Structures are given as C-alpha cells and as structure tokens.
Amino acid sequence: MSKPHHAPGDVRSKSLTDYLNDENVRAVLYQVVAIGLIILTSWYLVSNTLDNLEQQNISTGYSFLDLEASFEISESMIDYSAKSTYATALLVGLLNTIKVAFLGIILCTIIGIIFGVARLSSNWIVRKLATVYVETFRNIPVLLQLFFWYALIPNSFPHPRDALEPLPGVLLTSRGLYLPVPIADTAYTLMGIAAILALVAIYFVKKWAKKRQDATGEPFPMTAAGFGIFFGLVFIAYLLGGAPTEIDMPTLKGFNIRGGYNISPEFLALLIGLTVYTSTYVAEVVRSGIQAVPNGQWEAADSLGIKRSVALRKVILPQSMRVAIPPLTNQYLNLTKNSSLAVAVGYPDLVSVSNTTMNQTGQAIEAISIFMLIYLGLSLLTSLFMNWFNKKMALVER
Amino acid sequence: MSENAKMPPLPTGTFGERAVTWSRKNLFDGWFNTLLTLGAIAFIIWLIPPIFNWAVVNATLTPTIEGCAEVTGACWGFVNANLRLILFGTYPYDEQWRPVLAMIVLVGIICGSLAAVKFPGLRKWIIPMWVIGVPVIGILMWGGVFGLTYVQNSFWGGLPLTMILSAIGVIFAFPLGLLLALGRQSNMPAIKTVSVVYIEVIRGVPLITVLFMASVMFPLFLPAGVTIDKLLRAQIGIILFTAAYLAEVFRGGLQAVPRGQFEAADSLSLSYWQSMRLIILPQALRLVIPPTVNSFISMFKDTTLVVIIGLFDFLGTVKLALRSDPAWTKYYVEGYAFAAAIFFLICFSMAKYSAYLEKELRKGERR
C-alpha cells in the first residue's frame, strides 16, 4: 500500500479516500472496529446475563464462599466437614486435584521413560510390546479408560471381609486399597528436616565437584555420594528420634476396615487411568527426544574413547532433555487438565466440588470463573517455567 | 544408534539360517537381551491365552441374559443384543438407516478431503463437498423435509453423534482458528492481543470446563425467552475449544513459510489478503494437514466428554445399554471393550494416515 504522493509544497488537504488508503489509518480503523464489536458483544451478553440472573433471583458476587457448604466430601487432605465454608470445600477440591496430578506426573514419567526407551530397544520383541502398549492406550479415549478402571475396581476385588493381602498389611478390597502407615512421631518431623538439609548439602557438594572437575579434570562419584548423603542423614535423624517402630495396620472391624491409610477406588481409578493414558504420550516424547540427538554425537563420543554408558549419560541425555522437556511439560499440564475428568468417576477434585457448589448455590458464573482461573494460573506458571527453561537450555553459539 | 549407520549385511543362506542370524541379532544379543526376550515371552504366555480364552473360546454371542449366564467367557451377547442402542442411541428404530447414511456421507467427505493431499485434482472439490455435505447430513439427521419424519436432536446418539460433534467441530473451527492464527501474527496490537488472550485462555483450561460453560452459562447469555438446545451448546463449546488448538497448529504452518515469501508478495504489491490467499496460505496449509488430522483425532477422543453434561455419544450409549437392564450391568468389560475397539480402529488408522501424509509432504521438500 503506497502512501499518496504529493508534489512538494502541495497544500491540498488530503481527501477522505487518501486517508482510507493510508496503511496506518486503516490499521487503526480495523482495530477500532474489532474492539468495538467485541465490546458491543460483551455488553450485550453481560446485560442479558444480568437480566436473566435478576429474573431468576440469583445474586452475583463471591459472598457465597463464606456460607456453610453443608455437603460432605469423601476424601480430604485437610480438616473438612459439612459445616465448613464453600471456600474450604473448594480448597479441599484443589488439594485433591494437586494430589492426583502430582502422583500421576511422577508415575507417568517413570512408566513413560521405560516404554520410550523400550521402543528404541535393539530387542525386537521388547520393541513390539512397547509399541503395542503405546498405540493401544493412546488411541482409546481417556474417559473410557477411566470408566473401565472405575467399574473394574469395585467389581473385581473382594468385599472387605475377605480382603486380598498381597503384602502383609496391604489390603485390596472393593472399597479401595489400604496401606499400613507409621503412627505420627517427632522422629518423622526430624527426618523431614534432615531430608531438606541433605538436598541443600548435595547442592553444595555438586557445585564443589563441578569446580574441581573443571580445574583438575578429576570426576567425582556424584550419584553414589548423593544417595549416601540423603539416606545417611535421614537414617541418622530416624535414630536420633528414638527409632519408632509403631505402625498403624489396617484391620477388619465389623463390616469395614479400620486404621491404615485408605486409597479410595475413585482415586485409584483416576490415577491409573490418567497415568496409563499420559504415559503413552510421555513415551513418545522420550523416544523422539533420544532420536533427535544426531548420530554424530554418539560417534564423537566413541572417537574420544568414552564408554557407551557414559556417553548416554553425559552426551546424549543432556541433549535430548533440551528437546524433550518442553513437550514433557505440556504432557504434565495435559494430565493436570485431564484430572478434571474426576467428576465422571466421583473423585472430589476441584471441578467436581465446584460443580456441587454450582448446583447448590446457583452461582454458576462465579464457580466456573474460579476453577477456570485456577487452571489458567497453572498453565501460566507452566509456560513461565518453560520459557525460563528454554532460555537456560538454549544452545549458546559463539 | 551408531549401529544404524553401518550397512546391514546382505541376507544369505537358507530361510532357516537367516532366521537364526536374525534372532541372534534381534533377540539373543548378549545375556541382558536374552533375559529381556525370555521375560517378554513369559509375559505374553501369561497374558494372551487367558484373554483369548475369555474373548473367543469361552465367549458367546447369544443375545440373551440366560445365554450369557451359561458361559465363563465374554458375553458378546450384551453387545449383540444392544447393538442398535449402542450404535445409534435412542434414534427411532425404523429411521436408523438415516444416521448410517449420514455417517457414510461424513466419512466420504473426510476421506475425500484427506485424499486431496495425494490427488491435487480433488482439491477444488473440497469446499463444495463440505458446503453440500454438511446440509445433507443435517437433513438426514433432522428430517422434516422430503417426506422424512422429523427427529428431534435430543434423540440423537451413539457413533453418529460422536462423529458429527467432532467433524463439525473441526470444520467450523477451521476458519475461526485460521483467523486467530493470522490475528496472532498481525502487526496490529489490539487484534494481536485479542487473539493471544483467546488462544491462551482456551488452551489453558480443560475441555470439561468449556463444556460446563457451554451448558450452564450460554443460556444465561441469551436474551430471555431464547433457548438453544444442549447438543448445539455442546457443539459450540467444542468449536470454540478446537479453534484455539487449530490456531496454534496454523501458527506453526505460517511460521514455517520462509520470510522471503512474505517479502516477495509485498514486492509484487499484493494486498494483505491477496498475498495470504495466493502465496502464504497455500504453502502453510499444506504443512499443517498432518497436525490438523492429529487435532481431529484428539477431538474425536475428547468428544466423549459430552457424556458428563448429559449427552449420549458413543460412550454414553454404552453406559445407557449397561444400565438398560440390571442383569446387563456386570458385562461392562464387554461393553467398554467394544467401544474401545471401535475408537481404536478409527483413531489408529487416522493416526497412521497422518504419519504417512507427513512423510509424503517431506518427500516433496527433498526433491
């Protein structure tokens, strides 16, 4: 779009068409029209919504959060009863979402790495088995898998009276999994503190080891030392705390099982479903990450006389991490978002608690806005992390 | 990895000898590999025969509860007895040829559009196919004209519903996603901001929240007295959701077009829309066909979420059939396995085709 040409000294004022042909004027015009349309539409929708709410006698605002929720939640990580407020109920839901997402992420990473590496195995049969696993579970909708696991657990495990006991103290029943847990003791707090101290110590030892290797070329057995420091310190804390051995064993009392830690069938179904489904994607990410490292890197390591196992650890994996971490983060985010399917199997996650809240109070807009904002916040945090990581990992070229 | 670089030795010897060489190299190469092979074989022997016995040997197709009670294996009779309900939901029994025909039309258009990648002669027919095909599907499903009885869409269900929701979702999301992608690339700050906010917000929330929004909040948005039904609301939710994902796919395609192409279009003094239509989009869209198919696959799987807001898609009708008689309820494994098999067949074949297309497109680049 060329700007209108005028001879020098031309004082003729620009006509309207001249203005309309100016690229900058047009850009402004387009944007004003677009924004205007959006404002008009939103205004129309909002005014309709307000009218409708008024007609249905629903008040707007978040004041309902302080009211008594008056519904029970089957599992909670914090103190909660029907007398608690809606805000507490939503917090319980959020914590439950975080719990299932956290465990799911850890498990799907482990399983995904195993199958991703297995797909590249030189062993034909292992390779094929891994392919079958990945192709099967990624091509079946995750909701169908959830329904399947959720129907399977109560139907195929026995009533608490004749619970299966695969390991002493571990009970498998139609009401979920029961695990023995140690009875609370100050020793465990001490062990927690020791674990944090150990991580700090490992960080400094690692720094020192890198400095020494840069200076002298002498490697330091960091993995062994790390495990040593961590478990050593935690064990010392355990001994200092008086080495408590009391354990809360789940036992059958009457018709139900008391004691121990109960993992509900809903949670188990959700966790298994999400883990299996996402692990197939993680496997693909891992596989393409390893394949993305050029062959020349293996050959270069060979020609330097580096052992193959060391080359994998020090040359190949650090480079495939750069390729794999962003899509991996994406998969973690997907798992977290998919955990909202909890509502279909009755696990009280954020969306499911919000749904109950919505049905009881009629505050649909507020409830939906709360969980949308929380998920958005999680996504935003993830993309911030990804940007930070990409910057840190970007190839530094001379 | 480095082994791949070496040329494989040419196969020599009899079939038996070659089989031995092959299995030495691929199955028994070292003690660790031998262990893995033996473990894997043990796993297969442990897993496959019981499943085979259950699914085939001891199974029955007799479509009665009594027939199923007699066998120890799978009760495919459950699927057999409820096949129509599972496939078509509550669509009137005598009219079920209509959803079948609609599905054939839909599959035909989808295959036709995908085949156009391979056969350029088909390209000019893509848009006419959809413009004619979608109303034909609507007429078949709804009826009310040409002597077809009218079928309310609250009776729609099963596989046709799943296919319609996902295919229409992607088709209508296509132009919206394209506009959003162009908006995101735009130099105009307001347009860019609106596009970025829309894309990131939708991609940041789970589909189920969008569906909740569609089913609970859309009715509030409309003036009093105007209502749109549940199916349409879910469809709009799916379109809005898919558009954000397609926008990112298209952005990838647009970014892959070299800068020089934009500059060449500018130097020919083509207008923005001319350069997009004639120069940029033909190149960009070709690149995004495989990821678009992948979006369609994930949409096809995610459509099952409409169960949660009370629609009976293919997964919903399986649940409906399971609940139709308390005696059937315990055959959930058969029901879910059947649904899983259908989903797997459709998704897997599309995924393979998309991978093939990707390879084909790269072939062109190499030439």
Side-chain angles (χ1 to χ4, degrees), chain B residues 43 90-91 94 107 181 224 237 239 251 262 318 322 348:
Chain B
F43 176 73
T90 49
Y91 205 89
D94 293 328
V107 171
I239 292 171
R251 178 165 79 130
F262 289 87
V318 172
L322 285 170
F348 183 70

Side-chain angles (χ1 to χ4, degrees), chain A residues 112 134 256 341-342 368 381:
Chain A
V134 169
N256 214 339
L341 297 180
I368 289 179
L381 278 180

